[in-house]
PDB file of all heavy atoms in Angstrom:
ATOM      1  N   LEU A 126       4.566  11.321   2.353  1.00 98.00           N
ATOM      2  CA  LEU A 126       5.354  11.870   3.417  1.00 98.00           C
ATOM      3  C   LEU A 126       5.996  10.741   4.190  1.00 98.00           C
ATOM      4  O   LEU A 126       5.156  10.122   4.879  1.00 98.00           O
ATOM      5  CB  LEU A 126       4.771  12.968   4.186  1.00 98.00           C
ATOM      6  CG  LEU A 126       5.585  13.697   5.183  1.00 98.00           C
ATOM      7  CD1 LEU A 126       6.745  14.481   4.563  1.00 98.00           C
ATOM      8  CD2 LEU A 126       4.707  14.717   6.017  1.00 98.00           C
ATOM      9  N   VAL A 127       7.246  10.596   4.242  1.00 98.00           N
ATOM     10  CA  VAL A 127       7.968   9.526   4.796  1.00 98.00           C
ATOM     11  C   VAL A 127       8.788   9.965   6.081  1.00 98.00           C
ATOM     12  O   VAL A 127       9.465  10.932   5.916  1.00 98.00           O
ATOM     13  CB  VAL A 127       8.900   8.849   3.829  1.00 98.00           C
ATOM     14  CG1 VAL A 127       9.586   7.518   4.457  1.00 98.00           C
ATOM     15  CG2 VAL A 127       8.173   8.431   2.502  1.00 98.00           C
ATOM     16  N   ARG A 128       8.528   9.292   7.112  1.00 97.00           N
ATOM     17  CA  ARG A 128       9.267   9.540   8.363  1.00 97.00           C
ATOM     18  C   ARG A 128      10.007   8.327   8.829  1.00 97.00           C
ATOM     19  O   ARG A 128       9.887   7.246   8.290  1.00 97.00           O
ATOM     20  CB  ARG A 128       8.362   9.966   9.434  1.00 97.00           C
ATOM     21  CG  ARG A 128       7.202  11.054   8.998  1.00 97.00           C
ATOM     22  CD  ARG A 128       6.218  11.212  10.231  1.00 97.00           C
ATOM     23  NE  ARG A 128       5.682   9.900  10.749  1.00 97.00           N
ATOM     24  CZ  ARG A 128       4.517   9.421  10.281  1.00 97.00           C
ATOM     25  NH1 ARG A 128       3.915   9.921   9.197  1.00 97.00           N
ATOM     26  NH2 ARG A 128       4.118   8.336  10.796  1.00 97.00           N
ATOM     27  N   ALA A 129      10.825   8.495   9.905  1.00 96.00           N
ATOM     28  CA  ALA A 129      11.505   7.407  10.324  1.00 96.00           C
ATOM     29  C   ALA A 129      10.701   6.309  11.017  1.00 96.00           C
ATOM     30  O   ALA A 129      11.169   5.188  11.330  1.00 96.00           O
ATOM     31  CB  ALA A 129      12.728   7.785  11.309  1.00 96.00           C
ATOM     32  N   ASP A 130       9.366   6.747  11.364  1.00 96.00           N
ATOM     33  CA  ASP A 130       8.644   5.763  12.067  1.00 96.00           C
ATOM     34  C   ASP A 130       7.236   5.479  11.242  1.00 96.00           C
ATOM     35  O   ASP A 130       6.317   4.783  11.750  1.00 96.00           O
ATOM     36  CB  ASP A 130       8.156   6.352  13.420  1.00 96.00           C
ATOM     37  CG  ASP A 130       7.395   7.567  13.285  1.00 96.00           C
ATOM     38  OD1 ASP A 130       7.304   8.191  12.218  1.00 96.00           O
ATOM     39  OD2 ASP A 130       6.819   8.012  14.397  1.00 96.00           O
ATOM     40  N   GLY A 131       7.133   5.844   9.994  1.00 98.00           N
ATOM     41  CA  GLY A 131       6.047   5.562   9.299  1.00 98.00           C
ATOM     42  C   GLY A 131       5.919   6.574   8.089  1.00 98.00           C
ATOM     43  O   GLY A 131       6.928   7.213   7.675  1.00 98.00           O
ATOM     44  N   ALA A 132       4.686   6.619   7.442  1.00 98.00           N
ATOM     45  CA  ALA A 132       4.482   7.429   6.199  1.00 98.00           C
ATOM     46  C   ALA A 132       2.960   7.662   6.140  1.00 98.00           C
ATOM     47  O   ALA A 132       2.131   6.928   6.490  1.00 98.00           O
ATOM     48  CB  ALA A 132       4.978   6.666   4.948  1.00 98.00           C
ATOM     49  N   ARG A 133       2.707   8.776   5.441  1.00 98.00           N
ATOM     50  CA  ARG A 133       1.355   9.172   5.106  1.00 98.00           C
ATOM     51  C   ARG A 133       1.122   9.585   3.741  1.00 98.00           C
ATOM     52  O   ARG A 133       2.039  10.205   3.154  1.00 98.00           O
ATOM     53  CB  ARG A 133       0.934  10.323   6.007  1.00 98.00           C
ATOM     54  CG  ARG A 133      -0.478  10.865   5.959  1.00 98.00           C
ATOM     55  CD  ARG A 133      -0.788  11.936   6.910  1.00 98.00           C
ATOM     56  NE  ARG A 133      -0.211  13.275   6.564  1.00 98.00           N
ATOM     57  CZ  ARG A 133       0.671  13.831   7.351  1.00 98.00           C
ATOM     58  NH1 ARG A 133       1.176  13.177   8.467  1.00 98.00           N
ATOM     59  NH2 ARG A 133       1.173  14.989   7.062  1.00 98.00           N
ATOM     60  N   VAL A 134       0.084   9.153   3.102  1.00 98.00           N
ATOM     61  CA  VAL A 134      -0.149   9.609   1.712  1.00 98.00           C
ATOM     62  C   VAL A 134      -1.220  10.535   1.579  1.00 98.00           C
ATOM     63  O   VAL A 134      -2.318  10.458   2.265  1.00 98.00           O
ATOM     64  CB  VAL A 134      -0.568   8.416   0.755  1.00 98.00           C
ATOM     65  CG1 VAL A 134      -1.682   7.583   1.252  1.00 98.00           C
ATOM     66  CG2 VAL A 134      -0.614   8.787  -0.689  1.00 98.00           C
ATOM     67  N   SER A 135      -1.042  11.687   0.848  1.00 98.00           N
ATOM     68  CA  SER A 135      -2.050  12.763   0.679  1.00 98.00           C
ATOM     69  C   SER A 135      -2.462  12.693  -0.740  1.00 98.00           C
ATOM     70  O   SER A 135      -1.565  12.791  -1.593  1.00 98.00           O
ATOM     71  CB  SER A 135      -1.398  14.057   1.054  1.00 98.00           C
ATOM     72  OG  SER A 135      -1.059  14.190   2.362  1.00 98.00           O
ATOM     73  N   SER A 136      -3.691  12.612  -1.028  1.00 97.00           N
ATOM     74  CA  SER A 136      -4.251  12.483  -2.486  1.00 97.00           C
ATOM     75  C   SER A 136      -5.208  13.751  -2.701  1.00 97.00           C
ATOM     76  O   SER A 136      -6.149  13.854  -2.029  1.00 97.00           O
ATOM     77  CB  SER A 136      -4.950  11.158  -2.692  1.00 97.00           C
ATOM     78  OG  SER A 136      -4.072  10.081  -2.584  1.00 97.00           O
ATOM     79  N   TRP A 137      -4.854  14.471  -3.731  1.00 98.00           N
ATOM     80  CA  TRP A 137      -5.643  15.587  -4.118  1.00 98.00           C
ATOM     81  C   TRP A 137      -6.199  15.240  -5.514  1.00 98.00           C
ATOM     82  O   TRP A 137      -5.425  14.983  -6.554  1.00 98.00           O
ATOM     83  CB  TRP A 137      -4.762  16.861  -4.249  1.00 98.00           C
ATOM     84  CG  TRP A 137      -5.401  18.026  -4.938  1.00 98.00           C
ATOM     85  CD1 TRP A 137      -5.061  18.665  -6.065  1.00 98.00           C
ATOM     86  CD2 TRP A 137      -6.471  18.873  -4.370  1.00 98.00           C
ATOM     87  NE1 TRP A 137      -5.868  19.764  -6.443  1.00 98.00           N
ATOM     88  CE2 TRP A 137      -6.701  19.891  -5.303  1.00 98.00           C
ATOM     89  CE3 TRP A 137      -7.171  18.810  -3.260  1.00 98.00           C
ATOM     90  CZ2 TRP A 137      -7.689  20.777  -5.120  1.00 98.00           C
ATOM     91  CZ3 TRP A 137      -8.247  19.656  -3.088  1.00 98.00           C
ATOM     92  CH2 TRP A 137      -8.425  20.810  -4.025  1.00 98.00           C
TER      93      TRP A 137
END
Side-chain angles (χ1 to χ4, degrees):
L126 181 62
V127 185
R128 314 174 307 271
D130 64 348
R133 181 173 73 249
V134 60
S135 301
S136 294
W137 169 249

